[in-house]
Each structure stands twice: as structure tokens, then as C-alpha cells.
Amino acid sequence: MGYGNYSHAAHAAIVADRAAKPGSEVFKQTATHMLMNPQGLKVRESRDNADHPNSLGIVFALDVTGSMGNIPQTLARRELPTFMKLLTDCGVADPQLLFMAIGDATSDQAPLQVGQFESTANLMDQWLTWSYLEGGGGGSGEESYELAFYVMAQHTDMDCWVKRKKRGYLFVTGDELPYPAVSRHQVEGLIGEKLDEDIPIEEVIAAAAETTHLFFLIPDAQRRRRCEPRWRELLGDHVICMDSPDDACAVAAGIVALTEKAVPNLDALAGVMGGTGMAKERVRGVLHALDGYAALLDPTAPRRATPVAGNGARSSWWKRLFG
Amino acid sequence: MLSLLALSCPQCSAPLPRAARWRTVHCGYCGATITRGTETVERESFRAAWRRANAPQLTDTGRLLQWRGAHYRVLAPLGHGEHSDVLLAERLGAVPERVTIKLARDAAGDAVLAREAAVLQALQALSVAGAAYFTRRLPQPLGLGVAQGLGDGERQALVLRHPTGFWGSLQEVQQANSPQGIDARHAVWLWRRMLEVLAFVHGAGWTHRAITPAHALVHPRDHGVLLIGWSQAKPDVSGGAIGRDLMASARSVRALLSDGAVPAPLAALLRECSDDAIACERLGAQGIEQALSAASREAFGPSRFVHFDPAPVR
């Protein structure tokens, strides 16, 4: 997978065509698409090829339960071309996108759907819109996000990692807690392979993180409080709380651009986003969401946090932190 | 059609327990160790990845802390308070997390940290209107517990999310801009950010009781202010505590300004609020904010974002 060139114009045209269509005409599936059914899943490959010699695997695992179904809609109607254009404008070469859809394996008919890595506008759009937005979700406050990490660890093979030891990306969107472990019964039922034991989510995250940068995107401040502490235990500063769910693509593109050092810092990223015509308020929201992660990448951040000795004007404000 | 599966030992053909389907077992008759076929995904490979991710590196020797079962790599000492040492640290593991760790130096420090933790946790647990937004603009505690490491035994530790992007306190801003003071347009947003948080906190029935320039950190790019120093805060708004909080906020902002350069409407409001706690209590944080907006419009016109350099080169 992953052949063919990306055309922003073609992608923008696809998206523009459906601006006024109701949701059910964009996402037409009424059950899991047979090609996204993970039963018998072996490996999803992101490979280098003549068109894309430096492929970079990027996975969106979208929570498609009731409360989160608007993000796939926003991607399909407006934002996916923005994501690709931002990556292109930042100079990130050869991204290959795979879409997963995540629900609740204890209560939904389609808790896990898996597409393929693609490079062209048509195919990316195809897998996104083949996703079945079941809407369900359980009442337990948990969704089966751990399955996304399991698929990433066990069923993807990316040339960016295999050939260049450059990790791919997994962006999970959601507003609920994960289940504490990957259930071997659920994996056997959904994928058809046997696990010798349930795998605690900490371990499946550690395994996925060896080849992939993992991020959990929380759509807005309102929905962060219930789930953010637990996700921070699991994913630390890779938990990104956005100001608005509409920012998901811009935030993800910003993360890739910063991590790949395609842009040196947030100010440069703001310049690129401004150049694409994004409103200033929105750019500010994206930068706000990325602040903590950008500091993590900045090798000088710990040094700047250190008090400047012997300078009265810059005496340590840390001394007084919280007390 | 129903198919039957017999689990038998490949060495002696004795029957095996049902668990042989998913884990290693020992044959009860010949003692052979029976492992699963290659098609089974083994948890051990995931567990090994977890162990690799959490293993301290050789380069971390001597600069590691253990807290609640996790290892933290100390990145920088941030300061020494009256009762505690403050460190910037990063949690080891699959994905890093930067935290501020306050380590108590003595028993009195233990009590102060415990009080801070209790106050901050109570504030974060508020469920009143606006809590989702404003709890992000308050310090976020991760927990209180005993930390080990750095070669000095066990110490009580308060661990907080590391606030990024903050330049320093209003006190540092004041010192860096002395004696000419800051542009009054910046004083407007600085005060407004403080008033917004205070309006939320007061509305929830809490008072800060220690508002000073040193307890307000400035985020220049976001035009944000983080109020710190919550150890004296109480869930009690009686006895003029609200008025004193608001008066202290006005005084903190007034200290940043040079009197001659402040437009009259703003100067009048600052003077009233920094001298009269009763008037502050009557207006409340929202009332002062509305008066501030009106004074700002009168002095500077419609509000707009103006870049703030907290320590300009002059």
C-alpha cells in the first residue's frame, strides 16, 4: 500500500463536494466494511516506493462512539486536506495514512475497524468514509482504545521504522478511559488470534511505543477532566487536550512537523499555519494545545527553567511555586 | 459441524489440562514442559517491552527518583524554598512526562506540602460552572507521596504537572521593567486574567489569601497568568477575604506601572481597588473586570492582542 501521489487540489475537491450533504450520505456504511473488518488481520504495511522513498506511517484511530463521531465527520468534510497541506507546507515528506475506528468491544457490533496505509487523496478518503460510525459506546466510561495500541504493536510494519529507525505516529482521539487490559477473548473474537494472557494496557503501550510515537487527543476542556489523569499516567505529555475538536488535524500535523524537525519551533509552525489561511484565534488554540509537547522536544527547556544564579532581577520564581 | 479437540501431551500422549490452550503447562505424567504453538501471541514480549521502557539508563545514575513505583530523571534543580527543594523531572517509561517535584526537607515541610496538595486537589475537583476551563488555569497536582533517591533517603514529595511557557512572576516582571514600568495595555490583560480566575474561585466559595506579585506567573505568548501559592487558601469567603484577594490583585498590577504613564480611567480604577477592600468586595471580581474593560476601551479602544516582552532590552 501507499503508492500514488497526493494532490491537495483533488482532495479539496472531494471534500468540497460533500459540504452540504447529510452525515449519512458521507458515511454510508451500516455495518463494518468487509475490507475494514479486522478478522484474520495479519499486517498493515507502510512501505517505501518509487513515489514515496521516505514513507512515514501515520495512523488515526478515531473514537467513533456517540460522543466522538463528529471528528470523523469533520475530517471527511473539511479537515483532512488541511492536515495533508500542513504536512506538505512544513516539508514532511511522504506521509502514508491509515484510519482505524474504535468503539466499545463490550457493547458494540463494530468495536475495531482497520483500513490500509495510503498516500493518495482518493484512497485516504475512501478508508475514512468506509468507516462505520456505529455511534454506540458503553455506559461504563470506557472504550476499547487499547485495541488500537495492540494493532499498532502487533499488526503494523512500517518502513520508516524497519529501514530508518524512525518511528511512525498513532493519534488516538477520545474522551473516555481505556480498559485496563487487552482482553484475549476480545482479540480472539475480533481478530481471530490467540493470546496466552490478557495484556495490561501499560505493556501494550510500551510495545507500541517502541516503533510509534503515541498520542491521545482529547477534543476539548469540557471532556478532559474525567479521562485526562488516567491517560497522563499512561501517555504522559503525549496527551494533548485541544481547545476544540476541529483542531484535531492541525494539532496532529503540528506534532508530526515538530517531531520530525520540519519546523524548528511553535513560532515557525504558527507561520506555516497562518500561511494556509487559518484564523489567528485557531492558530493560537493549536499552539496552546501543543505548548507542553513542544517544550518536551526543546533541549533548552530544562535549562531555561533553571533560575539564573546571581541575578536579582531573575531570582527563582520556582522557590515560591505553590507554597 | 461440531468438532472435538483433545489436548494431549506430544511426548507421552497423556491428557493435558485445559489451560494448555493458552499458557505453558507441565505434563502431569511425563513432566514435559508444554508450550503453546507459534500462532499464540505471548504476553511476555509485551512485558519485555514494558521492562525495557521503564529500565533506568546507565547515564541516569545518581539522578533518579522513585515515586509511586515510577522512576523520574531529574533534569534541573529549580530552587530551594523554606521547607522544600524544587526539581524539574521527567518520568521514565514508554512516554515521558515532565513534572515539578517538591521535596520536603523536614516535618514542617511535610505538613505544608500536604496542605498544598489538599487545597489543589479540592480546587481541581470543583464541579461548578466554568470548572472545566478554569481548573486548567490552576496548578494541577499529580499526587503526594514518599519519594526515594538522590542519596538522601525517603522524603515527602508533592508532584505537580509542569507548567510550560511561563516566563516568571509579576515580581520578576516588575524588577525587569523598573523604574519605567510596563505598558499599561499589558497591565490590563494581566489584571483581567487574574480577575477571571479569582471570579471562578470566589464563586466556588474559596479564597486565595496570599495574592502577591510573586504568586502570579506570566505566560507571555498566551497572555496567560497562573496563580500559585495556594497553601493558605480556604473554602471560606467570610470576613472580607474576597475583598482582600481583589485588593491584593490590584496592588500587584499597580506595582508594575509607572503612575505618570497610566491613562486616567485605568489609574482611577486601580487606585480605588488597591485602596478600598470594601469597594472591591462590593464590585466582586466580575464587577471589577467589567469596569476594567470599560476603562480599557475608553483609554485604548477595542481590545487586540499586543505582544508582551516581559524583559525588553532598553
Side-chain angles (χ1 to χ4, degrees):
Chain A
M1 290 291 166
Y3 289 88
N5 282 314
Y6 177 78
S7 160
H8 178 259
H11 204 166
I14 293 169
V15 169
D17 269 356
R18 59 169 73 116
K21 288 184 180 172
S24 57
E25 284 190 32
V26 179
F27 289 87
K28 293 177 182 169
Q29 286 298 126
T30 53
T32 303
H33 193 288
M34 60 183 294
L35 296 179
M36 292 188 82
N37 190 334
Q39 189 60 235
L41 175 67
K42 295 299 180 197
V43 176
R44 292 294 194 244
E45 298 170 289
S46 165
R47 298 293 182 208
D48 293 349
N49 55 57
D51 294 329
H52 302 286
N54 292 296
S55 65
L56 181 65
I58 300 174
V59 177
F60 278 95
L62 304 173
D63 180 341
V64 294
T65 60
S67 57
M68 292 292 298
N70 58 336
I71 288 188
Q73 291 280 2
T74 309
L75 256 69
R77 289 169 182 283
R78 199 173 61 233
E79 288 298 315
L80 193 53
T82 308
F83 175 75
M84 293 301 291
K85 180 158 176 55
L86 276 175
L87 287 186
T88 308
D89 289 356
C90 288
V92 176
D94 307 333
Q96 297 187 343
L97 255 63
L98 177 148
F99 286 102
M100 279 192 241
I102 300 294
D104 186 341
T106 65
S107 59
D108 292 344
Q109 297 298 310
L112 176 64
Q113 302 167 64
V114 186
Q116 300 271 5
F117 284 101
E118 301 292 359
S119 297
T120 67
N122 271 325
L123 291 171
M124 282 177 202
D125 187 76
Q126 166 195 283
W127 290 108
L128 172 61
T129 53
W130 274 356
S131 301
Y132 167 40
L133 308 188
E134 186 176 8
S140 63
E142 293 155 318
E143 310 291 1
S144 298
Y145 304 110
E146 69 282 356
L147 293 174
F149 298 110
Y150 177 77
V151 169
M152 209 66 219
Q154 194 66 20
H155 292 284
T156 58
D157 193 355
M158 298 180 287
D159 272 354
C160 58
W161 172 254
V162 174
K163 292 185 177 174
R164 295 180 287 283
K165 290 291 173 255
K166 182 185 274 194
R167 287 191 276 180
Y169 293 83
L170 169 64
F171 296 101
V172 181
T173 64
D175 62 353
E176 302 274 7
L177 300 171
Y179 285 100
V182 175
S183 157
R184 64 184 194 276
H185 299 302
Q186 288 175 0
V187 168
E188 188 163 354
L190 288 167
I191 301 177
E193 69 186 348
K194 290 183 177 12
L195 272 59
D196 63 345
E197 292 181 62
D198 289 353
I199 306 171
I201 189 165
E202 290 84 357
E203 294 177 12
V204 84
I205 283 175
E210 292 196 321
T211 58
T212 313
H213 298 284
L214 310 175
F215 295 89
F216 189 76
L217 308 183
I218 301 173
D220 53 47
Q222 195 67 37
R223 288 186 261 185
R224 92 183 162 85
R225 299 182 77 199
R226 187 176 32 166
C227 65
E228 189 184 26
R230 173 62 178 149
W231 279 108
R232 284 201 171 276
E233 285 174 10
L234 296 169
L235 292 179
D237 286 329
H238 286 205
V239 177
I240 310 288
C241 182
M242 301 180 290
D243 286 0
S244 157
D246 291 351
D247 293 343
C249 277
V251 164
I255 286 170
V256 175
L258 287 166
T259 314
E260 297 298 311
K261 300 190 175 11
V263 292
N265 52 40
L266 285 181
D267 291 336
L269 180 64
V272 175
M273 287 193 287
T276 64
M278 278 176 70
K280 279 184 180 173
E281 273 307 309
R282 202 156 159 231
V283 171
R284 203 168 296 143
V286 173
L287 297 188
H288 183 238
L290 292 176
D291 208 14
Y293 180 66
L296 205 62
L297 296 177
D298 180 358
T300 66
R303 222 166 32 245
R304 280 192 276 110
T306 310
V308 182
N311 183 346
R314 304 287 175 86
S315 66
S316 168
W317 52 278
W318 293 100
K319 282 181 192 171
R320 295 174 294 275
L321 253 185
F322 314 111
Chain B
M1 194 178 88
L2 180 68
S3 64
L4 300 174
L5 180 70
L7 295 174
S8 57
C9 173
Q11 181 163 289
C12 69
S13 297
L16 291 174
R18 188 169 154 270
R21 289 185 65 197
W22 59 83
R23 62 160 56 108
T24 302
V25 296
H26 295 284
C27 175
Y29 293 87
C30 69
T33 303
I34 314 296
T35 61
R36 303 155 303 281
T38 51
E39 76 278 5
T40 302
V41 177
E42 296 180 359
R43 179 191 163 188
E44 179 52 32
S45 63
F46 292 85
R47 190 185 286 153
W50 185 85
R51 280 197 295 266
R52 282 193 294 275
N54 287 278
Q57 305 298 310
L58 289 175
T59 51
D60 295 326
T61 310
R63 298 192 56 73
L64 282 180
L65 270 174
Q66 289 174 55
W67 186 76
R68 290 190 175 175
H71 286 92
Y72 290 81
R73 180 191 299 126
V74 176
L75 298 178
L78 296 171
H80 303 280
E82 192 178 344
H83 296 290
S84 61
D85 299 320
V86 187
L87 307 170
L88 171 64
E90 187 171 291
R91 191 185 63 191
L92 301 183
V95 181
E97 181 179 30
R98 293 229 169 124
V99 296
T100 303
I101 299 182
K102 294 191 72 175
L103 289 173
R105 274 205 297 273
D106 48 32
D110 289 0
V112 171
L113 292 190
R115 197 166 62 237
E116 281 181 28
V119 168
L120 293 175
Q121 274 156 6
L123 290 171
Q124 288 296 329
L126 289 173
S127 56
V128 296
Y133 176 72
F134 283 105
T135 48
R136 293 182 79 186
R137 291 171 57 177
L138 295 169
Q140 296 176 46
L142 299 181
L144 184 74
V146 173
Q148 294 173 304
L150 300 182
D152 53 0
E154 293 187 343
R155 293 164 72 177
Q156 187 75 340
L158 172 60
V159 180
L160 305 134
R161 270 189 72 186
H162 182 62
T164 52
F166 287 91
W167 178 86
S169 71
L170 288 188
Q171 188 175 54
E172 269 90 26
V173 173
Q174 180 191 353
Q175 289 167 345
N177 291 275
S178 181
Q180 69 279 10
I182 64 169
D183 186 331
R185 289 176 301 175
H186 297 310
V188 172
W189 67 257
L190 286 166
W191 196 12
R192 185 175 287 147
R193 292 291 101 80
M194 294 171 78
L195 289 169
E196 285 166 359
V197 174
L198 287 175
F200 166 72
V201 170
H202 292 166
W206 282 76
T207 43
H208 185 286
R209 295 170 190 255
I211 302 271
T212 65
H215 282 160
L217 307 185
V218 182
H219 195 305
R221 195 185 59 233
D222 275 3
H223 273 194
V225 173
L226 178 70
L227 287 180
I228 60 171
W230 290 89
S231 61
Q232 296 174 46
K234 288 184 182 170
D236 175 14
V237 294
S238 62
I242 286 180
R244 284 195 295 278
D245 266 3
L246 296 172
M247 189 167 76
S249 77
R251 286 181 173 172
S252 299
V253 172
R254 195 175 171 182
L256 300 170
L257 296 163
S258 160
D259 279 347
V262 183
L266 181 59
L269 182 64
L270 272 171
R271 201 161 40 244
E272 181 190 5
C273 291
S274 57
D275 292 342
D276 188 350
I278 295 170
C280 287
E281 185 119 25
R282 190 185 67 247
L283 284 168
Q286 283 174 333
I288 296 176
E289 196 189 333
Q290 284 163 8
L292 174 62
S293 295
S296 168
R297 262 196 312 277
E298 190 180 338
F300 306 116
S303 57
R304 63 191 176 91
F305 187 90
V306 183
H307 176 70
F308 178 52
D309 184 354
V313 178
R314 294 175 193 273

